[in-house]
DNA sequence: GGCAACATTGACAGCGTTTTCATGGGGACG
DNA sequence: CGTCCCCATGAAAACGCTGTCAATGTTGCC
């Protein structure tokens, strides 16, 4: 007859471990965290006791007492988006070996949700915060500044960084993508996007800049949904319906580009024979697709890695900031098979 | 006389708020958490003070004192894999409205890393844990049981669940995928996979079962890397090199299938004319691809949603478990354009 | 042998909240 | 007008751990 003590499933605490090892709590604590401070004999006894009891340290209490939580907070607009895979991986690569936990919260591309996520995060007292994007609400900015921890804004270059800023010019990148198509001789260059974030808008600005420069007509279609492969196809359909003369499109990201590519295949259009396609981000699929997708490669891994390393340096170095508070990591245009010169068609 | 503790910027605590509102800490605490327990007058005063000081409650202290952390832990083998997008979204959909935070840790498809992740998670004292997969190490199992919180294993059906188990038979699903190809008349049915997890292996078992049943020859190629689109192409290449007679393949997941599809396009093979392809999971891309990919749809969203709801019920209902501790959610074969009858070719 | 320097260990006081539990005041009721 | 109860409030005790500093035992050296 077993009686589950559901009201008080008393947990194994450091106290229990200490008692079993017949040492004081302090010693037990040290034996586990700083073995070198404790004699070999006791160290073994404590370890044995801890293992026997399956002791799991209470990080809450530990963090509260030591005022160091050993974690950093990351807020990204989406986990779904392949863009943030490399980004998160880089952060893990840097912090996990340093024994720092990475807490990820999702803002769903909504400034309001981001503010909430930032406040929640701050309530956990992370030792630093990494933000994807630069458009925080004023209240969030204030809270972040007041927290007195390193804050790294990434993905874009900010006019007024909160603290540290590592990114690239989304507008320049958008310009480069569009320009690539104009340089190939295209004059009817369309644009499709799912502009949920400020970065998409900046890329569009870049596109418009190129359009003006070449005296072309802006041809844009967008949808206010999380970008998906399916939307890529639909948006291409709309674009072609409105501007049948289109010979090239710049897609706000690679998923849209992939959807557009599939739509072309469905319609029997040759890519790039009938339509040139350039995407954005250089996700894995861009290189593997057939035809492979021209795109803009953004240094997502590198960006997050640098962010992580700067944070480690600040934390380790007692809070001193590096001299360079803003870093432009640039981007690369990757011309693959999906873009070709105008006129190859005939 | 007050001694400013070093360079540490003093944090605003409940004590400060209470002082400013001229009430006791208890009242301040209640005014913020359970406004209905406090008179309107004080409630306003406390709220005003909190806002003025930009007070952020220390969740660490709160959790320590209340013994409730308001969060649940989730451990998935990969964030990169599209499979877990729906899964995590469902969990968020359930828990965020319930004001419960979702902590996600990544096991990188390695049992050792998963054990570590589980222990780390347990140290945070989540109110429940959701696991993707059923193959935890013995030590992890012990720690989980000892934690006395709801544990939900998902994605597969377990012979001996730790606590709750919601999933589907991966072997049956693999069998169904292979069987679909045999039913279409194919006899040279290959299999490609990146079997980092036990689920892939079970799907292969299902494939082998079908192969035996139809008296065919097993033709399998695999790679020990995280599955990627590129590997899909390469594996298909190897498979065809070894068994040129292949007329259909079952891919361990949709990414591999997509890579295989692209490889066919690159080689000028018609799909399904020259090769039928069936994938697994029904990621978004499967429906959008051209030709669209036949695949096995797994109820990832539903699975995670159910897991979340059961957890909420247990937490709310003071720990009582539902009668049904194991739920089989099944799967669906989705026949699309990428599979066709043998002989359509000639 | 005596003293300083060192290496170990332990007692105590928090860390910032929440939870009892006690207290006083006011309203309902007779 | 006096009880009985209930409501709003506050005091003090956890929650589990770590930092500080003092106390103990050890070693080395003159």
């Amino acid at each position: 007859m077993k009686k589950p003590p559901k009201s008080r499933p008393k947990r194994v605490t450091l106290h229990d471990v200490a008692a079993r090892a017949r040492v004081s709590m302090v010693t037990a604590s040290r034996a586990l965290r700083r073995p070198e401070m404790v004699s070999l004999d006791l160290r073994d006894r404590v370890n044995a006791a801890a293992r026997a009891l399956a002791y799991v340290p209470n990080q809450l209490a530990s963090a509260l007492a030591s005022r160091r939580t050993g974690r950093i907070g990351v807020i990204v607009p989406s986990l779904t988006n392949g863009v943030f895979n490399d980004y998160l991986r880089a952060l893990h690569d840097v912090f996990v070996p340093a024994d720092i936990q990475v807490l990820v919260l999702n803002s769903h591309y909504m400034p309001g949700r981001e503010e909430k996520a930032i406040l929640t995060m701050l309530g956990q007292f992370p030792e630093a915060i990494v933000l994807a994007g630069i458009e925080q609400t004023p209240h969030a900015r204030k809270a972040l500044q007041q927290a007195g921890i390193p804050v790294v804004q990434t993905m874009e270059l900010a006019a007024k960084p909160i603290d540290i800023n590592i990114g690239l010019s989304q507008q320049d990148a958008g310009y480069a993508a569009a320009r690539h198509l104009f340089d190939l001789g295209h004059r009817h260059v369309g644009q499709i996007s799912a502009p949920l974030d400020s970065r998409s808008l900046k890329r569009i600005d870049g596109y418009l800049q190129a359009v003006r420069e070449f005296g072309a007509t802006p041809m844009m279609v967008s949808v206010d949904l999380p970008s998906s492969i399916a939307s890529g196809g639909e948006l291409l359909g709309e674009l072609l319906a409105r501007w049948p003369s289109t010979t090239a499109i710049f897609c706000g990201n690679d998923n849209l580009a992939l959807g557009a590519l599939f739509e072309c295949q469905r319609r029997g259009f040759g890519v790039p024979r009938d339509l040139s396609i350039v995407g954005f981000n250089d996700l894995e699929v861009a290189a593997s697709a057939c035809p492979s997708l021209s795109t803009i490669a953004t240094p997502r891994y590198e960006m997050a890695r640098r962010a992580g390393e700067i944070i480690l340096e600040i934390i380790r170095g007692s809070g001193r900031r590096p001299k360079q508070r803003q870093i432009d990591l640039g981007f690369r245009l990757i011309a693959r098979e999906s873009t070709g010169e105008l006129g190859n068609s005939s």
Side-chain angles (χ1 to χ4, degrees), chain A residues 156-172:
Chain A
E156 295 180 66
L157 262 13
K160 280 208 166 305
I162 297 179
D163 186 4
I164 317 277
N165 180 208
I166 306 181
L168 62 133
S169 165
Q170 297 280 339
Q171 176 166 354
D172 290 357

Side-chain angles (χ1 to χ4, degrees), chain A residues 54-72:
Chain A
Y55 169 66
V56 179
N58 186 330
Q59 306 235 13
L60 263 38
S62 164
L64 183 60
S66 68
R67 304 154 135 265
R68 292 186 311 101
T69 53
R71 45 208 213 215
I72 65 127

Side-chain angles (χ1 to χ4, degrees), chain A residues 15 32 34 53 105 207 221 223 229 300 328:
Chain A
H15 184 265
L32 296 171
R34 316 267 204 69
L53 296 172
L105 252 39
Y207 159 80
V221 184
V223 61
I229 299 171
R300 303 183 297 280
D328 181 351

Side-chain angles (χ1 to χ4, degrees), chain A residues 204-223:
Chain A
I204 291 175
D205 285 345
Y207 159 80
L208 289 173
Q209 183 187 335
V211 164
R212 270 197 309 279
E213 202 173 307
F214 285 87
T217 310
M219 307 185 296
M220 304 191 291
V221 184
S222 67
V223 61

Side-chain angles (χ1 to χ4, degrees), chain A residues 16 24 59 78 129 142 161 209 220 249 273 304 317:
Chain A
D16 302 323
S24 73
Q59 306 235 13
S78 160
I129 281 201
K142 184 180 166 197
Q209 183 187 335
M220 304 191 291
I249 59 167
R273 200 192 56 211

Side-chain angles (χ1 to χ4, degrees), chain A residues 190 303 320:
Chain A
M303 198 154 45
R320 233 174 301 287

Side-chain angles (χ1 to χ4, degrees), chain A residues 40-56:
Chain A
L40 203 66
D41 172 39
L42 292 195
R43 193 187 308 173
D44 289 344
R45 260 163 55 200
V46 171
N47 281 328
R51 201 168 319 120
L53 296 172
Y55 169 66
V56 179

Side-chain angles (χ1 to χ4, degrees), chain A residues 176-202:
Chain A
R179 167 98 202 208
H180 171 55
L181 296 172
F182 284 110
D183 282 346
L184 287 169
H186 297 277
R187 285 303 171 266
H188 300 267
V189 175
Q191 210 280 345
I192 65 177
S193 57
L196 285 176
D197 56 30
S198 69
R199 292 180 284 292
S200 279
L201 294 175
K202 300 223 172 89

